[in-house]
Amino acid sequence: MNHAIKRQPFIKRYLFALAASAAALIGAGPLPAQPADGGWSPRSGDVWVDAWLGDINRYGSRYREPFVDEMVRYYGAPRELVGDLLGNRGWTPGDVYYACALAQVLGRPCRYVVDEWNRDHAMGWGAVAERLGIKPGSTEFHRLKRGFVPTYDRWGRPITIDRELRRDYPNRPYRDYPPAAAAGKDPGKHKGQPAAKPAGKSGKAAAKNGA
């Protein structure tokens, strides 16, 4: 009986050390692409891209199913990767979209850009894109920007274009940037545009579930 009593402090210390080691291992996993709080800033090097990535955060957080479907069907991202980034790794929808959109322009898997981000992202998405060969103002960067529009069309979500995209979409609502989105407003609300809404079957399902 006395031996059991003497062993209790040792057992407690052992269990505490084991718990601390497990916590350290969990904390050593990949960091989120960007914090999901108000300090989130993609730093793409383009104010229009930054504004709409912020809007994608709002849409993807509220209507996760159509967002994931878009990444899988049109950007070739594995569904399990998208789920892991949004869940276990704490990535925002805007970061997931941009990683997969960059990968599509590069002709590489989305996981490749994710790994590049994890390797070095101190200067934001603009620096990562340049490291991969996509510079603001380049043909590849223009393709990247142009790709936002069909994605928003599939979601049934309004989007306004900037001066650079007017030649591609001359009949779209347009304005100069930076827009009012910088103050936390929806950048899609412009000159009487309808409020943003989910698209298609999966979007309705999300709304019905109280998203």
Side-chain angles (χ1 to χ4, degrees):
M1 189 71 174
N2 291 335
H3 288 295
I5 294 173
K6 289 179 180 179
R7 289 176 60 190
Q8 283 182 5
F10 170 79
I11 293 172
K12 287 181 180 179
R13 289 196 301 272
Y14 174 78
L15 291 175
F16 178 82
L18 193 64
S21 298
L25 286 173
I26 293 172
L31 293 174
Q34 297 280 355
D37 58 21
W40 183 85
S41 176
R43 294 173 291 167
S44 69
D46 185 291
V47 291
W48 184 89
V49 170
D50 283 359
W52 290 100
L53 287 178
D55 185 68
I56 288 174
N57 275 349
R58 291 185 285 275
Y59 179 81
S61 296
R62 188 173 184 185
Y63 304 110
R64 178 161 170 162
E65 184 181 346
F67 171 77
V68 174
D69 286 345
E70 176 74 10
M71 295 298 96
V72 173
R73 183 172 180 182
Y74 294 98
Y75 290 87
R79 189 173 294 273
E80 60 273 16
L81 173 63
V82 177
D84 183 49
L85 291 173
L86 293 173
N88 297 330
R89 303 201 204 183
W91 282 44
T92 67
D95 288 318
V96 174
Y97 171 86
Y98 206 56
C100 295
L102 280 170
Q104 187 180 68
V105 172
L106 290 166
R108 302 295 295 265
C110 185
R111 195 181 301 275
Y112 170 76
V113 177
V114 169
D115 290 342
E116 283 295 316
W117 172 271
N118 286 333
R119 182 166 70 87
D120 182 13
H121 57 265
M123 302 302 293
W125 276 115
V128 173
E130 286 202 42
R131 189 168 76 234
L132 294 173
I134 300 179
K135 298 180 180 180
S138 66
T139 301
E140 292 79 11
F141 193 80
H142 187 77
R143 282 178 53 203
L144 187 68
K145 290 183 65 171
R146 197 170 60 219
F148 279 70
V149 178
T151 286
Y152 269 73
D153 287 348
R154 287 187 287 268
W155 286 337
R157 191 168 178 83
I159 185 170
T160 58
I161 60 172
D162 65 354
R163 187 181 303 277
E164 183 183 347
L165 291 173
R166 288 192 80 178
R167 64 179 182 270
D168 298 288
Y169 303 105
N171 297 319
R172 294 274 177 166
Y174 152 82
R175 71 176 169 202
D176 289 318
Y177 277 74
K185 298 181 181 179
D186 187 339
K189 292 180 180 179
H190 173 63
K191 293 186 178 179
Q193 285 185 325
K197 59 183 179 181
K201 198 171 183 180
S202 49
K204 290 178 182 176
K208 188 176 180 181
N209 290 334

